Amino acid sequence: MGDRSGAGGGAGGRDGAGDGGAAGSGGRGGAGADGRAGADGRAGADGRAGAGGRVAGDVARVLRVGAQRLIAAVLDCEKPVVAAVNGTAAGLGAHLAFACDLVLAAESARFIEVFVRRGLVPDAAGAYLLPRLIGPQRAKELLFFGDTLTAPEAQGLGLVNRVVPDGDLAGTSRDWAARLASGPTRALALTKHLVNTSLDTDRAAAFAAEAWAQEINMTTEDAREGLRAFADRRAPEFRGR
């Protein structure tokens, strides 16, 4: 995450969970990244392929190499990732947005945990992301009932950072991306890592990680520039190094 262009590209991906076409569970009852692993090809008693020509393990494989790999790529990316959501984000589309570091939503945006409506278990990391974002009780309510969330409702739950008028979504996402790209990008990468890993570790490990992250970051030009700028009482000029 050192170069300036890299930070801009990482933060600027604007339709992380766009219109309803990104749904992880579509009208065919598909579960997973490509919608192929649904209820349309039940396996027989011997575990061999049913009417849809599926063999045992297909569903798990599709999830591992599709939706789960996509969500992991967003979570593990060093660069901050901004989601700009318009229309309906359902299933995978919603989870892709929730995996992003910052979520902007148009006033018309909707979020749906659609899996239960199709008789499916949530995939695309929904049962992993939601409890960490809003707690297990609220996560279960969304996953059990599949009710549609408006953008303001999602913001109230903490799933969305900011709701903006539809016409301002693109401009606001570009502004946020530009702010991130002009910041101390190595510090941002370390900060993202600390926050994401804090949810899966204990206090001692989190404190140790924080100390080492600060140690590493103090070797960067941006850290030295930030301290110089503070002493000089001027705005810092970060270079992503």
Side-chain angles (χ1 to χ4, degrees):
M1 190 174 175
D3 63 273
R4 186 64 56 207
S5 61
R14 69 166 292 267
D15 207 338
D19 296 335
S25 294
R28 290 178 44 226
D34 62 0
R36 291 187 301 132
D40 53 350
R42 299 171 184 265
D46 59 356
R48 295 178 62 81
R54 184 182 306 123
V55 296
D58 268 359
V59 174
R61 178 187 58 79
V62 168
L63 287 175
R64 284 197 306 270
V65 303
Q68 291 176 351
R69 181 179 291 180
L70 175 61
I71 297 297
V74 174
L75 293 172
D76 296 339
C77 178
E78 285 189 343
K79 301 174 179 66
V81 182
V82 177
V85 185
N86 57 72
T88 299
L92 170 59
H95 299 167
L96 184 58
F98 300 154
C100 292
D101 303 297
L102 298 169
V103 183
L104 292 167
E107 290 176 343
S108 64
R110 300 290 185 271
F111 299 86
I112 309 173
E113 288 300 325
V114 73
F115 300 94
V116 70
R117 300 187 184 186
R118 307 290 182 257
L120 299 173
V121 172
D123 63 30
Y128 173 84
L129 293 168
L130 284 171
R132 287 164 168 76
L133 293 170
I134 61 176
Q137 296 304 112
R138 286 178 171 174
K140 289 173 186 175
E141 180 180 348
L142 296 182
L143 295 170
F144 288 173
F145 295 127
D147 293 335
T148 299
L149 281 180
T150 66
E153 289 171 339
Q155 184 182 29
L157 287 175
L159 294 170
V160 168
N161 293 91
R162 188 173 301 178
V163 178
V164 299
D166 288 31
D168 294 342
L169 181 64
T172 304
S173 63
R174 284 194 295 268
D175 289 344
W176 282 27
R179 289 180 63 185
L180 292 167
S182 63
T185 53
R186 290 187 181 272
L188 292 178
L190 290 167
T191 300
K192 173 175 177 174
H193 176 76
L194 288 175
V195 173
N196 284 0
T197 57
S198 71
L199 299 172
D200 298 311
T201 191
D202 58 34
R203 184 182 67 181
F207 280 17
E210 176 188 278
W212 280 110
Q214 195 69 286
E215 177 76 22
I216 294 168
N217 190 66
M218 288 302 293
T219 67
T220 66
E221 292 183 16
D222 280 349
R224 292 191 290 271
E225 165 62 10
L227 294 174
R228 285 195 300 267
F230 177 77
D232 297 341
R233 297 185 179 182
R234 59 175 173 80
E237 297 181 4
F238 297 123
R239 300 180 181 275
R241 299 173 185 163

